[in-house]
Amino acid sequence: MKKHKNIFLFLLLFSTTLISLKTLKKVYIQDIIISGSKLFSNTDVVNNSSLRFPIRLIFIKTNFLEKELKHNLSLKNVSVSRQILPFGLKVHIQTRTPLAYGVRILNNEKISGFIDIDGIFINKENAEVKNLNNLNIQVFGWEEKFKKILSEILIAQENYEFEIVKVTFSPNGFLSVEEKDLKTIFLGFNPNLINYQLEIINQLKIEFQKNKISKKIENIDLTDPNKPLMKVFKP
């Protein structure tokens, strides 16, 4: 009995020592193990993080690395874990699904990409090719501060009758959208009105479909949703 106990303690000590030694071992770029997406490489992980390789496994701050990669690569989710067997740094990636084309201005440069359901901008190189079919919406003037209101528009698009084909944020933040039949709709500066405005757009779409008069519309002003204004083409 005592002999078995000693063997157990020896094995426990040996495994603990082995694990300790493994965590002190240096991780090289080739030791990064990526799963969940074939879009990104080990080099992408390195270039989009503040890590400097080689680095000892125990010194890698996984939570901080997750936040860096999620932000820099426009990911839906990412989990990073230290792995002993096989040795390495495991990075599991969940990409975002594009719902619209997007254009943003960064350092006076126009950048083209995509937008997902959360209103997040996805750079072209970070978008899965398989998800780029049937995108019928264009977003211009994207900024980080607009992602919430943009998300509400994209969610409503899936639940309502209207069909938004363009969303435009002017440099001063004025929002307008273009609906397939209702044409240009001015929504203004107040993001707190968006849900009410979207409900009105949906009601107008249903009403105009019934009466088949939407082709006469030039634009609709919903900056004050309680006093909607409509401009029609003159005959």
Side-chain angles (χ1 to χ4, degrees):
M1 185 72 177
K2 185 176 181 181
K3 182 179 179 181
H4 290 163
K5 183 178 180 180
N6 289 337
I7 292 174
F8 173 77
L9 290 174
F10 172 78
L11 291 174
L12 180 63
L13 179 62
F14 176 78
S15 61
T16 303
T17 303
L18 180 62
I19 291 173
S20 297
L21 290 174
K22 281 284 188 179
T23 58
L24 290 172
K25 185 179 176 181
K26 287 184 177 180
V27 178
Y28 290 82
I29 294 178
Q30 60 266 29
D31 296 319
I32 299 173
I33 306 163
I34 298 176
S35 62
S37 173
K38 296 181 180 179
L39 180 63
F40 301 99
S41 66
N42 293 19
T43 302
D44 291 322
V45 171
V46 175
N47 291 342
N48 288 278
S49 75
S50 56
L51 290 181
R52 294 294 175 264
F53 288 85
I55 181 174
R56 298 191 189 280
L57 185 64
I58 196 171
F59 292 149
I60 297 176
K61 298 177 181 179
T62 56
N63 289 340
F64 182 73
L65 180 56
E66 287 171 353
K67 292 177 181 178
E68 280 190 316
L69 294 177
K70 185 175 181 180
H71 178 267
N72 294 337
L73 296 175
S74 305
L75 299 174
K76 182 74 174 177
N77 199 18
V78 57
S79 62
V80 178
S81 57
R82 305 183 193 95
Q83 190 165 280
I84 302 300
L85 293 173
F87 176 81
L89 186 69
K90 187 172 182 180
V91 180
H92 184 75
I93 287 172
Q94 181 183 358
T95 56
R96 294 183 178 276
T97 302
L99 288 185
Y101 293 103
V103 175
R104 66 182 298 193
I105 304 297
L106 185 62
N107 298 325
N108 295 321
E109 181 183 355
K110 185 183 290 186
I111 300 174
S112 298
F114 306 94
I115 310 293
D116 83 330
I117 193 68
D118 297 318
I120 300 296
F121 189 90
I122 309 166
N123 289 331
K124 278 186 174 180
E125 62 272 20
N126 298 335
E128 297 275 8
V129 176
K130 64 182 180 181
N131 295 323
L132 302 184
N133 296 325
N134 303 319
L135 299 184
N136 300 315
I137 308 172
Q138 294 179 306
V139 178
F140 296 94
W142 183 94
E143 291 185 35
E144 185 79 19
K145 62 184 177 182
F146 299 141
K147 63 183 182 181
K148 185 177 183 298
I149 190 170
L150 184 53
S151 176
E152 290 173 332
I153 293 172
L154 293 174
I155 291 172
Q157 165 88 356
E158 295 187 347
N159 297 326
Y160 285 161
E161 296 295 322
F162 56 71
E163 187 176 342
I164 302 294
V165 295
K166 185 188 295 185
V167 179
T168 303
F169 296 97
S170 66
N172 64 358
F174 187 91
L175 171 62
S176 62
V177 299
E178 184 177 324
E179 203 276 335
K180 184 178 179 181
D181 297 314
L182 302 179
K183 311 307 179 186
T184 301
I185 305 171
F186 303 118
L187 300 179
F189 295 102
N190 190 346
N192 296 321
L193 296 175
I194 187 62
N195 288 317
Y196 184 28
Q197 291 168 323
L198 291 171
E199 288 177 7
I200 294 175
I201 293 173
N202 192 54
Q203 292 168 8
L204 290 173
K205 175 74 172 189
I206 293 172
E207 187 63 30
F208 291 150
Q209 283 178 332
K210 289 180 181 178
N211 295 292
K212 298 181 180 179
I213 61 172
S214 58
K215 290 184 179 179
K216 300 176 183 178
I217 300 170
E218 183 173 345
N219 61 60
I220 299 172
D221 188 340
L222 293 180
T223 51
D224 183 351
N226 292 314
K227 298 178 181 178
L229 301 173
M230 184 183 304
K231 184 178 181 180
V232 297
F233 288 105
K234 295 180 181 180

